[in-house]
């Protein structure tokens, strides 16, 4: 009798149907948000992950499946971000770019409930955007996806881990605090502090956390720019009406993460309670040999998520493209409402950052190849209209706000 390897699963019947529906909803929903699906190889050259993950992170070296063929080392992909960036650089794609991936990943971890050695991940990556608006946007998109498939009972934790500059100064402060307490820490934490010090907060041991509870936190030691960015993320999340909890001990195990980190956690899942994990990784593209490019994204485990969901998942369809731009932050509410209206009618719609200069937003709209750009600012507000630019002809018309729904329906 043959058996499947430890940590793998056979998926069939109802579970497979539900997973496929979740994938289909992801394709459709993120397609509507302007994300393009990308499929990278199941295996890559091992050096890609050595470069991006390093040996001192949560995906430690021995958790990667490596194999040698003709004196070349390959690795089954343990995560999706580095391959997407590798593909972006290698195929000379243009910025800004939005990618969705739905792929199996492989890690040699100890299997337990909700954790397997081969597991599915749905992830999004938004490349080329540095502003706080976009950190909030991808969190909003994660939440709306979960709402759409009927997931409930999750909460969102948020933190900022700053930039290398903040971390240099902070590491010293933390070191000074930890020095007299070093004997109370576990061996793992003592080693982590040497190599990847933020990760000490990932420790599961209560004795270590007793020390960390009173330790200075990176969140309170951000440089001016990072602090402003973090404030921005929180402001936009409030605008989106998203509830979140700040967790100053939330860090990501990967060296290339900067500033925003977040997790969606589910109370019913026990120790493996994270269903979405993500954040900003402004340093990875350069690390992999590409141009200096701010990036943000997250990954979700649909199999784990499914454990929390007893119900059927709904389905949505996708069609053409709108790009909605606002002239200033005070039009954000209107922009969100407009975008939701358009998407609810089955169209693809991306919203620009209303804080960014109009010219820049229009340029981005042009780059993603939108059919229509909808502009809303002071003049439009006064007149009770939307300015709608047909990108192919360059023709701009004003449409009464009350007539706009009928306009979308005609397209
Ligand atoms: Zn900083
Ligand atoms: Zn520890």
């Amino acid at each position: 009798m043959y058996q499947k390897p430890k940590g793998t699963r056979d998926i069939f019947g109802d579970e497979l149907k539900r997973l496929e529906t979740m994938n289909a909803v992801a394709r459709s929903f993120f397609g509507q948000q302007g994300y393009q699906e990308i499929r990278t190889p199941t295996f890559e050259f091992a050096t890609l992950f050595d470069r991006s993950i390093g040996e001192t992170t949560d995906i430690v070296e021995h958790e990667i499946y490596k194999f040698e063929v003709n004196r070349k080392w390959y690795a089954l992909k343990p995560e999706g971000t580095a391959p997407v960036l590798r593909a972006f650089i290698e195929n000379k794609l243009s910025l800004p770019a939005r990618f969705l991936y739905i792929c199996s990943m492989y890690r040699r971890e100890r299997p337990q409930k909700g954790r397997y050695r081969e597991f599915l991940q749905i992830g999004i990556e938004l490349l080329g955007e540095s502003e706080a608006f976009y950190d909030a946007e991808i969190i909003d998109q994660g939440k709306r996806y979960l709402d759409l498939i009927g997931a409930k009972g999750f909460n969102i934790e948020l933190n900022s881990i700053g930039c290398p500059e903040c971390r240099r100064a902070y590491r010293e402060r933390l070191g000074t605090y930890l020095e007299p307490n070093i004997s109370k820490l576990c061996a793992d934490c003592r080693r982590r502090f040497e190599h990847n010090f933020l990760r000490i907060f990932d420790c599961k041991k209560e004795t270590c956390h007793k020390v960390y509870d009173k330790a200075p936190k990176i969140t309170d030691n951000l440089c001016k720019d990072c602090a402003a960015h973090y404030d921005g993320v929180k402001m936009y999340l409030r605008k989106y009406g998203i509830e979140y909890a700040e967790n100053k001990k939330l860090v990501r195990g990967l060296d290339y993460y900067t500033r925003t980190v977040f997790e969606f956690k589910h109370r019913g899942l026990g120790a493996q309670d994270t269903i979405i994990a993500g954040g900003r990784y402004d340093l990875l593209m350069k690390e992999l040999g590409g141009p200096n490019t701010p990036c943000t994204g997250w990954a979700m485990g649909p199999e784990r998520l499914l454990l929390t969901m007893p119900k059927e998942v709904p389905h949505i369809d996708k069609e053409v493209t709108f790009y909605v731009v606002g002239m200033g932050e005070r039009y954000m509410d209107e922009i969100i409402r407009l975008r939701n209206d358009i998407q609810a009618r089955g169209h693809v719609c991306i919203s620009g950052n209303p804080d960014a200069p109009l010219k820049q937003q229009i340029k981005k709209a042009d780059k993603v190849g939108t059919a229509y750009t909808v502009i809303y600012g002071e003049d439009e507000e006064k007149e009770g209209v939307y300015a709608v630019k047909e990108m192919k002809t360059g023709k701009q018309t004003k449409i009464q706000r009350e007539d706009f729904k009928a306009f979308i329906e005609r397209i």
Side-chain angles (χ1 to χ4, degrees), residues 184-190 192 199-209 212:
K184 296 180 194 146
L185 302 182
C186 71
D188 279 344
C189 280
R190 270 181 259 169
R192 280 181 193 133
R199 279 208 62 224
I200 60 169
F201 295 106
D202 277 341
C203 186
K204 297 273 180 278
K205 295 194 180 71
E206 220 172 288
T207 43
C208 291
H209 275 277
Y212 303 149

Side-chain angles (χ1 to χ4, degrees), residues 26-302:
R27 286 193 176 96
S28 164
F29 173 73
F30 291 107
Q32 277 193 328
Q33 322 291 320
Y35 289 85
Q36 298 208 9
E37 190 167 355
I38 184 165
R39 241 172 255 181
T40 60
T42 299
F43 58 93
E44 299 266 359
F45 286 117
T47 47
L48 174 69
F49 301 110
D50 296 341
R51 246 349 238 292
S52 59
I53 292 168
E55 52 189 22
T56 52
T57 60
D58 62 349
I59 312 167
V60 284
E61 190 79 345
H62 64 261
E63 284 175 357
I64 300 180
Y65 284 99
K66 287 190 182 176
F67 56 97
E68 191 189 6
V69 180
N70 286 342
R71 277 174 292 163
K72 285 200 172 84
W73 278 95
Y74 301 91
L76 297 183
K77 60 182 165 188
E79 60 95 32
T81 301
V84 167
L85 295 205
R86 195 266 312 134
F88 174 85
I89 298 166
E90 188 172 345
N91 294 292
K92 300 187 175 63
L93 303 178
S94 63
L95 293 170
R98 291 163 191 249
F99 294 113
L100 164 74
Y101 62 81
I102 301 176
C103 292
S104 285
M105 307 294 168
Y106 305 84
R107 291 183 204 175
R108 273 170 59 185
E109 292 177 293
R110 195 163 52 81
Q112 45 182 282
K113 187 189 167 201
R115 188 166 81 183
Y116 307 101
R117 290 179 166 178
E118 173 173 7
F119 55 97
L120 193 63
Q121 269 194 349
I122 297 178
I124 58 171
E125 314 287 0
L126 173 48
L127 316 185
E129 302 286 12
S130 63
E131 294 136 71
F133 172 83
Y134 295 100
D135 303 54
E137 186 184 63
I138 63 162
I139 294 173
D140 175 60
Q141 285 162 343
K143 182 185 175 290
R144 285 198 295 146
Y145 173 77
L146 294 183
D147 288 344
L148 198 60
I149 59 170
K152 288 191 174 64
F154 55 87
N155 39 33
I156 299 170
E157 291 187 0
L158 181 74
N159 196 18
S160 173
I161 54 170
C163 65
E165 193 194 321
C166 318
R167 275 176 237 162
R168 246 193 315 274
Y170 166 66
R171 190 182 192 282
E172 227 160 275
R173 285 200 60 188
L174 184 63
T176 310
Y177 168 83
L178 288 180
E179 217 180 346
N181 296 300
I182 206 88
S183 60
K184 296 180 194 146
L185 302 182
C186 71
D188 279 344
C189 280
R190 270 181 259 169
R191 199 182 52 242
R192 280 181 193 133
F193 188 74
E194 290 309 314
H195 300 289
N196 193 350
F197 75 101
L198 273 180
R199 279 208 62 224
I200 60 169
F201 295 106
D202 277 341
C203 186
K204 297 273 180 278
K205 295 194 180 71
E206 220 172 288
T207 43
C208 291
H209 275 277
K210 270 200 183 131
V211 177
Y212 303 149
D213 280 339
K214 293 191 205 91
K217 306 293 186 314
I218 181 75
T219 331
D220 303 317
N221 289 276
L222 299 174
C223 69
K224 216 171 128 230
D225 287 352
C226 288
H229 194 273
Y230 188 41
D231 285 343
V233 175
K234 291 186 278 187
M235 185 271 283
Y236 286 118
L237 285 177
R238 285 193 296 272
K239 290 251 176 200
Y240 277 122
I242 290 176
E243 280 180 43
Y244 60 88
E246 285 182 75
N247 175 358
K248 293 182 181 180
K249 285 193 203 167
L250 181 68
V251 293
R252 292 239 67 80
L254 304 173
D255 296 332
Y256 52 76
Y257 276 99
T258 50
R259 297 187 167 171
T260 314
V261 289
F262 57 85
E263 285 186 4
F264 289 46
K265 292 182 174 174
H266 197 282
R267 291 183 278 281
L269 279 173
Q272 301 295 317
D273 62 349
T274 302
I275 46 180
I276 290 182
R280 178 163 282 289
Y281 50 98
D282 289 348
L283 304 175
L284 182 58
M285 187 83 91
K286 190 127 192 257
E287 180 66 31
L288 296 178
N292 211 343
T293 308
C295 300
T296 182
W298 53 249
M300 173 176 58

Side-chain angles (χ1 to χ4, degrees), residues 331-384:
Y331 298 108
M332 175 107 178
D333 294 343
E334 184 61 29
I335 292 302
I336 293 172
R337 198 164 34 243
L338 192 58
R339 181 202 64 190
N340 290 351
D341 271 357
I342 294 172
Q343 290 176 351
R345 279 166 179 75
H347 292 291
V348 178
C349 182
I350 299 175
S351 53
N353 174 3
D355 264 349
L358 183 66
K359 242 190 175 164
Q360 189 187 320
Q361 293 188 64
I362 303 255
K363 217 170 144 190
K364 279 183 190 169
D366 203 18
K367 260 195 157 166
V368 299
T370 180
Y372 296 93
T373 301
V374 184
I375 303 158
Y376 192 71
E378 206 179 326
D379 292 350
E380 285 75 15
E381 184 180 37
K382 262 189 221 142
E383 293 178 56

